[in-house]
Amino acid sequence: RVQQRLVRELEKKFSGKDVVIVGNRRIMRPTKSLKDQRPRSRTLTAVHDALLEDLVYPVEIVGKRMRYKLDGSKLLRVFLDPKDRNTSEYKLETFAGVYSKMTGKAVTFEYGN
């Protein structure tokens, strides 16, 4: 609730700029020993998934698909809840740009049926 209000106020203040708030997460490298295993929340996949959730926050993610192209590149397709279309449709390019800049993965955002 606070995040939605804060984002709205910051977007008003910066007139026309899109604002996103993302949590600070740490990725740990895999350990060799069985004694000190890393927590699941610190794996690369978990951190990237949490980053995606933070990025689109008021909107709910309803599905994800990985598309493998013939040239070997991968494209992550993220399906968002269509009931939030009018509140977040103008931010989809911003979401894709921020996610690809932070993770290096190509992503597109769409609204599911």
Side-chain angles (χ1 to χ4, degrees), residues 29-79:
R29 65 179 58 230
T31 58
K32 301 277 191 250
S33 70
L34 292 174
K35 272 193 304 193
D36 33 296
Q37 289 185 332
R38 66 179 169 173
R40 292 276 183 202
S41 64
R42 305 282 199 291
T43 62
L44 179 82
T45 307
V47 169
H48 285 186
D49 287 345
L51 176 69
L52 194 59
E53 290 282 340
D54 286 351
L55 201 58
V56 300
Y57 167 60
V59 182
E60 189 177 334
I61 295 174
V62 293
K64 289 188 270 191
R65 302 283 183 274
M66 182 66 77
R67 180 171 179 209
Y68 297 93
K69 295 186 179 179
L70 289 174
D71 63 354
S73 62
K74 294 187 256 183
L75 177 68
L76 179 65
R77 293 172 60 200
V78 178
F79 298 101

